[in-house]
Amino acid sequence: MTDLSHIRNFAIIAHIDHGKSTLADRLIQICGGLSTREMQEQVLDSMDIERERGITIKAQTVRLTYKAKDGETYILNLMDTPGHVDFAYEVSRSLAACEGSLLVVDASQGVEAQTLANVYQAIENNHEIVPVLNKVDLPAAEPERVRAQIEEVIGIDASEAIEISAKTGLGVADVLEALVKHLPPPEGDATLSLKALLVDSWYDPYLGVVILLRLREGVIKKGMKIRMMATGGTYNVDRVGVFTPKNVEVSSLGPGEIGFITAGIKHVADCQVGDTLTEDRNPTAEALSGFKPSVPVVFCGLFPIDAGEYDDLKESLSRLRLNDSSFEFEAETSAALGFGFRCGFLGLLHLEIVQERLEREFNLDLITTAPSVVYRVHLTDGTMLELHNPADLPDPVKIDHIEEPWIKATILVPDEYLGAILQLCTDRRGEQIDLTYAGNRAMAVYLLPLNEVVFDFYDRLKSISKGYASFDYDMDDYREGNLVKVSVLVNAEPVDALSFISHADRSESRGRVICERLKELIPRQLFKIPIQAAIGGRVIARETISAMRKDVTAKCYGGDITRKKKLLEKQKKGKKKMRQFGKVEIPQSAFIQALKTSED
């Protein structure tokens, strides 16, 4: 077992694209975690989607062995965390398992919104923070300005911030020395009864459930009988190991160490993230404080295009939930779409990633309904409903008032784009709380209704600021709002997958945009198709898709005009009948495109 003073547990935190995964690659390379032949870019981003999009979705852990300049050998447990706001939950779990953090800041872009959010989380976890300035080899790098910005905005000493280029490897060796020198070793006693924090769990088709642990007290060995304190389940440990990043079996893990175990567990539902593991025969007296559970903020329905794939979708969702505990689902039915599931996500990117993983990893064709947030509907009889699906809104006569969730958003943006960003926030019913400056960048703090953010706020923010603005948010509170349900009707049939709840002042413009979108997206038929947006019985917007015209008179050469008139009359009757009985199939692509409303 390793001496505690020679262990360092640290997370790498940063804004999106500031170089976390590249720095992790360099650290693995220097410590010899993988041979040159095995090395590849973003070695810890194991999912195809992570590689293609160049983002980290799942926090990954690696154990490295480092020989310091003082001749001592240290064990470094590195956690590479995601930077996107939707995966902040992954970050909070990683930070709880470590004593220190490497704060990576891009030397050309400086402190961004997510940098702040992650650093505050690290400070809450009492972390020692080592600032690192990455990308100093870029012509636009201004390390001195960014140092001053870190001290001014975050309030931590950046005089000893290490200047590196994770891409070329410049200065990375200094980072390892700083880790060993500045970060505190973990505390723990191997003689006490086992107490370990369950940091993450995922499903492996060969081994069953794999559990990632951070040991606080005691030792875990192969063959030991363990108990989960929250669920009460008991299991025998089959394997104990560490990731180097390859998984390597070890005889035991002691206090302060991070590693994995398998114990023949069939369902990840039995392994609650944040639970405490202890020995069955000699349990610890009290459980560790886990993490606050993730709360989904965006809900949408997922339905199979082919009704026969319902069971496959159910199985796929259960298996995906094994790897992603922040995603929730429950069965629901829809008049237009049949049987499916109502799913909860941490944000729109999370929704997109889950949908893409279902389509790729499980070969499913899905229809996604309009994303919505959780509304609180207060009825006239004094009861309160939590509404996840706009289609379930009770009769307006029974509703006293509806409350919607609001968020507190922090936006960091260069000065020249500030006016446009403030205008965007005001258009989305935002209320300004604060506006401060750090150098030439403004930090605006706004209260915004989540309903306005969920659709395309992030895309608009990025396009207005040419990609320079960064955005982070926390849930604030529920407030009463003047909200209405807008139904979308295609050929007089309501399409419940497209219905949404909107603020009364904006319902007309949103309804008009969706009708215009659908007019472009639904293929023309042989009959006229009306598309309408309505609040209750009142139509607020309408578009019409004109009919395709088949030339029925083409075969008439000359002769009496009445022959042509007769054929045209017959065609007219046929079209009327078609419109009465014709079913309009809305293609899957049209659903998704229509929901990405942008009111430009």
Side-chain angles (χ1 to χ4, degrees):
M1 220 162 7
T2 318
D3 175 8
L4 275 176
S5 63
H6 286 172
I7 298 176
R8 298 288 183 274
N9 298 322
F10 67 97
I12 304 182
I13 54 173
H15 187 74
I16 311 151
D17 249 1
H18 281 201
K20 293 180 296 296
S21 297
T22 313
L23 176 58
D25 288 354
R26 291 294 85 76
L27 295 175
I28 292 168
Q29 213 169 358
I30 290 174
C31 296
L34 292 171
S35 64
T36 316
R37 187 170 61 83
E38 292 167 317
M39 259 328 270
Q40 54 178 349
E41 293 285 314
Q42 291 174 285
V43 73
L44 294 182
D45 291 345
S46 50
M47 282 193 270
D48 291 345
I49 300 181
E50 290 183 310
R51 300 185 152 281
E52 282 166 28
R53 291 177 177 240
I55 57 172
T56 304
I57 294 167
K58 287 290 290 176
Q60 299 285 1
T61 176
V62 181
R63 176 182 174 130
L64 303 170
T65 308
Y66 172 62
K67 197 165 173 116
K69 288 179 181 168
D70 59 8
E72 297 283 349
T73 302
Y74 290 87
I75 295 287
L76 306 178
N77 288 308
L78 171 160
M79 291 237 177
D80 179 24
T81 62
H84 198 283
V85 59
D86 282 13
F87 305 112
Y89 177 61
E90 290 280 335
V91 181
S92 69
R93 293 205 312 233
S94 304
L95 295 178
C98 302
E99 282 79 35
S101 294
L102 278 187
L103 172 67
V104 180
V105 182
D106 185 323
S108 58
Q109 293 190 344
V111 175
E112 303 269 10
Q114 205 57 42
T115 319
L116 279 176
N118 289 343
V119 112
Y120 291 149
Q121 272 194 318
I123 292 167
E124 275 172 29
N125 281 292
N126 299 322
H127 274 204
E128 191 64 43
I129 295 167
V130 175
V132 173
L133 304 181
N134 191 16
K135 309 191 186 182
V136 291
D137 55 329
L138 292 182
E142 299 175 78
E144 289 314 311
R145 178 181 69 80
V146 175
R147 260 177 225 268
Q149 200 184 17
I150 292 175
E151 292 188 353
E152 196 179 327
V153 179
I154 301 173
I156 58 173
D157 178 22
S159 56
E160 290 188 18
I162 307 155
E163 296 186 14
I164 67 160
S165 164
K167 192 174 176 186
T168 62
L170 170 81
V172 177
D174 300 340
V175 174
L176 288 162
E177 281 299 314
L179 284 172
V180 169
K181 205 159 59 182
H182 296 305
L183 296 191
E187 294 171 356
D189 188 342
T191 58
L192 296 175
S193 52
L194 173 67
K195 188 189 278 191
L197 180 68
L198 199 159
V199 182
D200 201 358
S201 60
W202 60 93
Y203 191 77
D204 183 294
Y206 303 107
L207 304 170
V209 177
V210 181
I211 297 177
L212 185 67
L213 293 178
R214 158 66 208 263
L215 271 80
R216 298 282 183 197
E217 313 278 1
V219 179
I220 195 163
K221 296 184 182 127
K222 190 174 172 177
M224 193 182 222
K225 192 171 188 185
I226 54 163
R227 185 198 307 165
M228 310 269 184
M229 291 184 81
T231 57
T234 57
Y235 307 95
N236 286 318
V237 178
D238 301 333
R239 297 174 77 208
V240 178
V242 293
F243 294 105
T244 68
K246 294 178 286 196
N247 51 10
V248 177
E249 280 197 54
V250 294
S251 57
S252 65
L253 288 171
E257 294 192 277
I258 297 175
F260 72 88
I261 62 163
T262 61
I265 305 169
K266 300 282 190 297
H267 306 289
V268 168
D270 303 337
C271 313
Q272 291 181 7
V273 167
D275 196 355
T276 305
L277 266 78
T278 187
E279 194 175 355
D280 189 40
R281 281 198 217 101
N282 177 20
T284 180
E286 57 189 53
L288 294 160
S289 59
F291 325 105
K292 55 179 190 287
S294 66
V295 180
V297 292
V298 179
F299 285 82
C300 85
L302 290 179
F303 293 86
I305 288 180
D306 173 5
E309 287 185 350
Y310 175 78
D311 289 335
D312 295 346
L313 175 60
K314 187 177 182 180
E315 173 68 15
S316 307
L317 287 170
S318 310
R319 283 173 60 187
L320 197 60
R321 174 113 174 60
L322 299 179
N323 284 23
D324 185 352
S325 59
S326 52
F327 152 67
E328 294 180 4
F329 68 93
E330 58 182 34
E332 76 163 352
T333 55
S334 146
L337 302 170
F339 292 99
F341 293 91
R342 190 92 201 144
C343 304
F345 307 92
L346 300 179
L348 278 193
L349 177 70
H350 190 203
L351 182 158
E352 216 176 297
I353 296 288
V354 166
Q355 189 190 339
E356 202 169 322
R357 285 185 68 184
L358 285 168
E359 287 175 355
R360 277 187 189 197
E361 295 172 25
F362 304 103
N363 296 324
L364 293 167
D365 288 328
L366 301 172
I367 290 176
T368 317
T369 64
S372 76
V373 298
V374 185
Y375 297 96
R376 288 182 181 163
V377 182
H378 293 265
L379 304 176
T380 46
D381 63 3
T383 54
M384 190 266 286
L385 295 175
E386 287 212 333
L387 183 78
H388 295 209
N389 186 350
D392 298 337
L393 190 72
D395 186 347
V397 181
K398 296 179 183 168
I399 298 172
D400 181 48
H401 65 276
I402 304 175
E403 290 182 332
E404 60 179 338
W406 282 61
I407 58 168
K408 185 178 174 186
T410 308
I411 300 166
L412 279 162
V413 60
D415 205 18
E416 63 261 40
Y417 306 113
L418 181 64
I421 297 290
L422 296 183
Q423 183 61 49
L424 172 72
C425 292
T426 310
D427 289 349
R428 297 297 168 98
R429 300 192 280 134
E431 295 172 8
Q432 189 175 323
I433 303 177
D434 194 12
L435 181 61
T436 50
Y437 275 85
N440 66 338
R441 305 187 62 192
M443 182 166 102
V445 182
Y446 263 86
L447 283 177
L448 285 157
L450 185 59
N451 180 14
E452 301 286 350
V453 174
V454 141
F455 272 89
D456 57 346
F457 182 81
Y458 193 66
D459 297 346
R460 299 280 306 116
L461 185 80
K462 286 292 183 194
S463 61
I464 287 173
S465 66
K466 300 193 168 47
Y468 284 110
S470 61
F471 165 73
D472 178 57
Y473 67 83
D474 289 314
M475 293 305 292
D476 187 57
D477 201 4
Y478 274 81
R479 293 199 205 172
E480 188 178 334
N482 180 13
L483 302 167
V484 291
K485 176 185 163 188
V486 180
S487 312
V488 177
L489 297 94
V490 175
N491 200 19
E493 291 271 327
V495 182
D496 57 359
L498 291 174
S499 62
F500 60 91
I501 289 175
S502 166
H503 193 267
D505 300 348
R506 314 229 6 225
S507 57
E508 204 168 305
S509 60
R510 288 253 311 255
R512 195 173 299 121
V513 168
I514 263 195
C515 290
E516 285 167 6
R517 277 286 173 94
L518 286 171
K519 184 182 177 182
E520 293 165 21
L521 297 165
I522 295 175
R524 285 170 69 190
Q525 308 283 341
L526 288 166
F527 53 94
K528 219 163 43 172
I529 305 170
I531 299 168
Q532 296 160 308
I535 298 172
R538 182 169 66 92
V539 174
I540 55 169
R542 172 180 170 135
E543 291 287 335
T544 307
I545 300 174
S546 55
M548 284 197 292
R549 182 98 193 264
K550 185 180 172 190
D551 190 358
V552 286
T553 59
K555 60 179 185 283
C556 295
Y557 294 104
D560 192 358
I561 187 76
T562 52
R563 285 181 67 199
K564 288 188 179 180
K565 277 190 173 166
K566 198 172 164 188
L567 287 167
L568 289 169
E569 277 301 315
K570 196 175 170 188
Q571 183 187 33
K572 202 168 163 187
K573 274 185 190 161
K575 286 195 173 189
K576 193 175 173 188
K577 196 172 177 185
M578 265 170 147
R579 194 173 146 201
Q580 216 173 336
F581 301 109
K583 278 265 180 264
V584 181
E585 288 291 329
I586 303 176
Q588 158 69 352
S589 56
F591 270 105
I592 295 167
Q593 286 303 316
L595 299 175
K596 287 187 175 170
T597 54
S598 168
E599 296 170 27
D600 296 347

